[in-house]
Amino acid sequence: MTDTDPDPAESGGDTSDAPPEPEGEEKPDKGAADDRKPQDEGQDKEKDKEKDKEKAEEEENVRSAQDRAADPESAQQWGLFASRMDTAFQAMFGVGASGFAAAGGTANFFLGDTAVGQVGDQNFAGRRRSLEIRVRSGLVAKDVLAQIDEAYVEPDDYRELTRKLEQHQLLFIKARGGTGRTMTALHLLHRSCHEGVRKLDPDARLKSLQPKEFEPGHGYLLESLDPDQAATLKAFHAERLGQYMRDRGCMMVVIVDESTRLPMHEIGDLVSTGFTRVKPDRLLERYVEWGLVGSAPEADHEVLSRPEVKEIIAQLTEEVPARELAKLGDLLIEVAHDRIGFETVRNRYSAAGKAGFGEWFDAQADLEQRAFVIALAVFNDEPVQLVSTAATMLADRFKKLAIPRRGDRSRDVFAVSLTQRVQQARAELVNGSQETEFGDVPVTKARFQDERYPQLVLDHVRTQYTQALDVVLDWLLALGSIPNPQVYIRAGVAAGLLSQYDFVNVYRRIINPWAVFGDADQRWAAVAALQVPARLPDYGLQISKLLRHWSRHTLPQLRSAAAQALGTTTSISPEAALKQLRYLARHADWVIAYRVGEAISDLFVRADPGLVLRTLVRWSRDDEFVERRLTALLAVLITSHYVEIQADGSERWPALVWFAEHRPDLRRHIVLLFARLLVTIDFKRRTYVHMKQWVRIIRREPAVTRPLARLLRDIGARSGETANIRTHLADWAEDPDGPVTAARTVLEHFDQEEGPQ
């Protein structure tokens, strides 16, 4: 993939740090041909051989990328990454990747298993990916806004906030995290903007926004204002933005951390600095009341009035995370239904219970036992053998520091039984299953009895044992190099958890080395690590800048890691991710092109498929750069092979075939993209192989027959390949090793179709 033409400035993108383009070669003088010497001819032959070699390597790279796109194992690994990330988040935070949010302080929260700040969702069911993913930027789902309305408790200054917003159409809320500032902003906008609410990307520049970027009647939220941007705001910037809001019938709320300096003399009348925190007991009362709505009469609807419950509530401080309040409310609802005893609540939420955790950890028998507890925190609910092996690795590292003499580092392998280790760790062994490339296999898993312990253990080590933390960080770095996704993804999530408190240190010691010096598996560990801070409002801008830096770096490893991360990150919207991927595609070799293709498949699953298809149509135009055009076409093949849909109890359909049949607005894009594949020499053979795979699906899902015949007919008409498609169908119908019956059936319908109208 080579192209020496300079890249023009792309809309919305910055090419100032783009890799330098090769300079054009000076054209030779025609008259100099007669003066050439024999050695010049020999040099020309050597150059021709070199060109032939480069051409052969390029063709091999094309075949390799396309073969990998059609490889079932590659598709399986792509799908498993998301499910393993979800499992890792569930084990570490007690909630899946789709519901994770910052712990923060006491804030308004969503009812049910939905966490603060997770807005906008896209459900997509498929064989290799069946996961609800919530994006941080973009349109806020209506059901999420409805949940906010049900759960919201107004702070004391809510009326003043409403007055300022309605008066100016633009409001800056300056408050520290955990005060309910995000939920308040969303609630304000939802009440006033009935067409919808959108969250802006964290790198949005207030001074550069234009009217065309705002949809009429919508509310807009910028959740975290960059301090550098805040310092340069002027009154005329705010006035212009406010006028845009009025002209478009919109409103905007900008959240500013209390530590960020604002030019109050310029925009002070638009700023609210008196934002008050809602008391945790009010939020808890609201949550429990909602949870008991519709409960049977025998349920204790006055559970909050019990003396022992009042004792727990009295100990709550305003720093209690919203997620913990929700969990406390869930437990109290269970107590009200007499499904659990109050002792469970007391152990978790009383002051004595909290103090007891630190005493319990400090009282662990020896280095081996503490290593086991820490390893269990990282590998909670994983096979017990994996936990034990990781614990042994960590214990050896601890002993090298604590016992420097070689003769003292022996281990009595029968000193403590596994049962004792598990019991002392306040954990349990449970039967479960593990998803592997060979299918689900039964395993015995180890997990803490209290789901809070993975975070509590790592946080306790972080705050109380700095030397031990140093060892743990090196241990996590080593785990990331083990070629086992169960290991490197868990190591990445643990590193991401610790990065919340010291991002620069963890990034330099673990995440960056994984991305720069590691192989593909270690880069996935880096991606997993970034997913944790990416979901926190305070880190959204930093992660966005980091990925932008990686995508424009001269090291191909970092560009590859950027592509892997851009498909899965929630720190920026799908639109912004596609803009970064567009740049990567412009300067892609086939390895990076493949990673971009996988990222496109991720965005197709978790964002609007129409947005992705329209983007690929633009990228694959004839007037685009060669690298970007070929990357787009490779992405079409990868997405078509990786993503499947199962709807209405039917068998699995290839997603693009299903959308072509059920989404008329997307059909023309799909037809055009496959037409371009068929007329591109590098992809023609593989596209026909892929179409043959489509035909094979008919054996298990006959309902695909007519839609597939119509789609093939439309692709043929659009590309001028109708005769060739028919010839291939006829060949497959006669091939003893091919889908004979299915191909004959499709061919019959293909000949009956009249083509696109």
Side-chain angles (χ1 to χ4, degrees):
M1 299 173 72
T2 59
D3 191 351
T4 58
D5 293 335
D7 189 3
E10 300 176 3
S11 58
D14 178 12
T15 59
S16 59
D17 53 352
E21 296 289 346
E23 296 181 1
E25 296 182 2
E26 185 177 346
K27 295 183 179 180
D29 183 0
K30 292 182 180 181
D34 295 335
D35 297 332
R36 296 173 64 189
K37 298 179 181 179
Q39 60 263 37
D40 293 335
E41 295 180 3
Q43 292 175 356
D44 288 345
K45 290 181 179 179
E46 288 298 321
K47 289 181 180 179
D48 290 341
K49 289 181 180 180
E50 191 66 28
K51 289 180 179 179
D52 290 342
K53 181 180 178 181
E54 291 177 357
K55 183 178 179 181
E57 291 178 351
E58 181 77 0
E59 291 174 351
E60 176 59 30
N61 290 334
V62 173
R63 286 193 296 271
S64 176
Q66 294 183 23
D67 289 344
R68 190 175 179 189
D71 181 15
E73 184 177 348
S74 298
Q76 184 182 54
Q77 291 303 318
W78 170 81
L80 286 177
F81 177 77
S83 63
R84 284 169 174 155
M85 276 298 302
D86 200 55
T87 300
F89 270 76
Q90 185 72 45
M92 178 65 73
F93 302 104
V95 63
S98 59
F100 171 74
T106 302
N108 284 285
F109 52 86
F110 299 150
L111 302 177
D113 189 20
T114 309
V116 176
Q118 303 301 297
V119 298
D121 64 311
Q122 174 72 30
N123 296 317
F124 198 97
R127 173 168 67 95
R128 304 185 182 98
R129 176 71 61 84
S130 180
L131 181 68
E132 180 185 35
I133 301 179
R134 297 174 181 270
V135 296
R136 175 158 292 279
S137 301
L139 185 66
V140 183
K142 291 182 179 180
D143 61 333
V144 173
L145 294 171
Q147 290 177 1
I148 294 175
D149 286 345
E150 293 178 8
Y152 188 73
V153 179
E154 295 182 1
D156 294 338
D157 56 350
Y158 188 82
R159 290 187 177 180
E160 177 60 18
L161 294 172
T162 303
R163 184 192 66 79
K164 277 193 173 184
L165 180 61
E166 292 177 347
Q167 179 180 352
H168 301 286
Q169 313 287 112
L170 174 64
L171 173 67
F172 293 82
I173 295 179
K174 188 175 183 181
R176 61 191 174 100
T179 56
R181 58 190 190 180
T182 297
M183 293 302 98
T184 294
L186 291 172
H187 193 260
L188 283 167
L189 293 170
H190 184 222
R191 286 186 58 178
S192 303
C193 305
H194 301 296
E195 293 298 320
V197 178
R198 304 184 69 91
K199 293 182 76 175
L200 296 171
D201 278 298
D203 57 354
R205 306 297 296 179
L206 295 181
K207 294 185 291 185
S208 303
L209 293 174
Q210 299 297 317
K212 64 181 181 181
E213 300 178 60
F214 302 107
E215 297 183 36
H218 280 67
Y220 290 86
L221 169 64
L222 181 60
E223 195 174 5
S224 180
L225 185 64
D226 180 19
D228 291 339
Q229 185 179 172
T232 59
L233 280 176
K234 301 295 182 182
F236 76 88
H237 295 138
E239 291 171 0
R240 182 176 60 188
L241 187 55
Q243 188 60 51
Y244 292 164
M245 295 294 103
R246 283 187 287 272
D247 293 343
R248 304 289 285 177
C250 298
M251 291 187 176
M252 179 182 292
V253 176
V254 180
I255 293 177
V256 186
D257 191 78
E258 66 174 0
S259 62
T260 299
R261 297 186 63 179
L262 282 174
M264 298 299 290
H265 62 287
E266 296 275 356
I267 61 170
D269 56 334
L270 304 175
V271 180
S272 172
T273 56
F275 190 77
T276 56
R277 182 189 296 270
V278 179
K279 299 295 183 183
D281 54 344
R282 291 175 59 196
L283 287 173
L284 183 63
E285 179 182 2
R286 176 74 178 217
Y287 190 96
V288 173
E289 286 177 352
W290 176 85
L292 291 174
V293 170
S295 298
E298 56 267 24
D300 184 3
H301 290 260
E302 303 299 325
V303 64
L304 294 176
S305 300
R306 294 186 186 184
E308 61 270 29
V309 175
K310 286 185 175 182
E311 178 184 345
I312 296 293
I313 294 176
Q315 296 174 4
L316 296 176
T317 68
E318 293 187 350
E319 304 304 320
V320 175
R323 188 166 64 244
E324 284 302 310
L325 272 180
K327 290 179 179 178
L328 173 56
D330 286 333
L331 290 176
L332 291 176
I333 292 169
E334 294 296 297
V335 170
H337 287 95
D338 202 25
R339 290 192 283 258
I340 64 171
F342 183 74
E343 194 61 28
T344 301
V345 180
R346 189 189 306 277
N347 290 338
R348 284 197 174 198
Y349 291 96
S350 69
K354 293 178 181 178
F357 171 81
E359 295 173 1
W360 161 79
F361 182 89
D362 296 343
Q364 293 298 298
D366 52 26
L367 287 178
E368 301 248 0
Q369 180 62 27
R370 292 188 182 189
F372 184 85
V373 170
I374 295 171
L376 184 56
V378 175
F379 295 99
N380 188 41
D381 205 28
E382 286 286 5
V384 64
Q385 292 85 355
L386 178 58
V387 177
S388 298
T389 301
T392 300
M393 291 176 57
L394 181 57
D396 286 343
R397 291 173 177 270
F398 281 151
K399 287 186 175 182
K400 287 180 181 179
L401 182 65
I403 311 172
R405 291 178 297 174
R406 181 178 298 276
D408 292 337
R409 291 204 296 271
S410 61
R411 173 183 288 110
D412 183 354
V413 295
F414 295 104
V416 181
S417 69
L418 178 61
T419 301
Q420 289 177 286
R421 290 258 184 248
V422 173
Q423 289 176 346
Q424 292 172 14
R426 294 183 178 177
E428 59 187 356
L429 298 178
V430 296
N431 294 325
S433 63
Q434 176 181 332
E435 189 176 11
T436 72
E437 60 269 32
F438 312 110
D440 288 350
V441 296
V443 294
T444 300
K445 295 184 175 182
R447 69 185 183 197
F448 285 113
Q449 295 173 343
D450 188 330
E451 64 181 13
R452 300 173 302 154
Y453 271 35
Q455 291 184 79
L456 291 174
V457 166
L458 292 177
D459 196 50
H460 190 67
V461 172
R462 177 185 66 84
T463 57
Q464 301 300 322
Y465 300 101
T466 55
Q467 283 187 303
L469 176 63
D470 214 45
V471 177
V472 169
L473 291 176
D474 288 339
W475 171 67
L476 290 175
L477 178 64
L479 290 175
S481 65
I482 295 176
N484 180 345
Q486 283 178 282
V487 177
Y488 61 71
I489 290 177
R490 289 302 186 98
V493 171
L497 170 70
L498 294 171
S499 76
Q500 299 175 85
Y501 310 103
D502 189 1
F503 183 80
V504 173
N505 182 41
V506 174
Y507 172 76
R508 289 175 175 171
R509 289 189 56 171
I510 300 180
I511 300 175
N512 192 60
W514 278 341
V516 174
F517 303 111
D519 55 18
D521 290 339
Q522 288 173 280
R523 286 194 290 275
W524 279 121
V527 172
L530 291 178
Q531 291 222 19
V532 181
R535 287 168 165 80
L536 308 178
D538 293 339
Y539 283 97
L541 180 60
Q542 285 70 26
I543 300 301
S544 177
K545 287 182 175 180
L546 173 64
L547 294 181
R548 182 182 177 85
H549 171 69
W550 280 6
S551 66
R552 283 158 168 73
H553 206 281
T554 56
L555 287 176
Q557 301 96 310
L558 285 181
R559 297 204 303 276
S560 182
Q564 292 170 243
L566 285 166
T568 55
T569 185
T570 58
S571 63
I572 59 178
S573 67
E575 292 89 345
L578 286 168
K579 187 178 294 185
Q580 295 279 28
L581 289 169
R582 182 175 188 266
Y583 182 89
L584 280 166
R586 164 66 182 94
H587 301 283
D589 58 22
W590 284 105
V591 174
I592 294 176
Y594 190 86
R595 291 303 182 193
V596 171
E598 285 194 319
I600 291 292
S601 297
D602 279 309
L603 292 170
F604 187 90
V605 169
R606 72 179 183 89
D608 173 19
L611 170 67
V612 173
L613 291 173
R614 290 189 297 272
T615 298
L616 292 176
V617 167
R618 289 195 299 272
W619 289 10
S620 59
R621 293 179 307 196
D622 289 341
D623 58 351
E624 267 290 0
F625 290 100
V626 172
E627 296 96 338
R628 186 176 292 140
R629 186 167 67 250
L630 296 180
T631 299
L633 295 177
L634 181 63
V636 175
L637 282 181
I638 293 173
T639 302
S640 183
H641 179 70
Y642 279 16
V643 186
E644 293 181 331
I645 286 181
Q646 185 170 2
D648 302 327
S650 67
E651 287 289 330
R652 299 181 300 272
W653 287 49
L656 295 185
V657 176
W658 189 92
F659 275 110
E661 180 66 15
H662 296 87
R663 289 282 301 272
D665 58 316
L666 302 183
R667 183 181 183 87
R668 62 188 181 91
H669 301 313
I670 296 169
V671 168
L672 177 57
L673 288 169
F674 275 95
R676 288 176 176 173
L677 279 165
L678 285 181
V679 298
T680 303
I681 191 64
D682 288 334
F683 288 96
K684 189 168 188 173
R685 182 190 68 85
R686 176 56 67 182
T687 304
Y688 276 116
V689 172
H690 187 64
M691 289 177 174
K692 187 176 182 179
Q693 293 173 336
W694 282 353
V695 174
R696 291 182 185 276
I697 294 171
I698 293 173
R699 290 183 294 185
R700 57 176 170 82
E701 180 50 86
V704 176
T705 306
R706 292 189 66 89
L708 179 56
R710 286 193 293 269
L711 178 59
L712 292 177
R713 184 76 187 204
D714 286 0
I715 293 172
R718 188 70 174 82
S719 62
E721 287 280 313
T722 300
N724 284 336
I725 292 177
R726 192 191 186 288
T727 299
H728 278 81
L729 287 171
D731 289 343
W732 300 335
E734 300 298 329
D735 183 2
D737 297 326
V740 176
T741 303
R744 288 175 180 172
T745 305
V746 173
L747 186 58
E748 291 174 4
H749 291 291
F750 183 84
D751 288 337
Q752 293 170 5
E753 294 295 332
E754 296 180 357
Q757 301 297 318

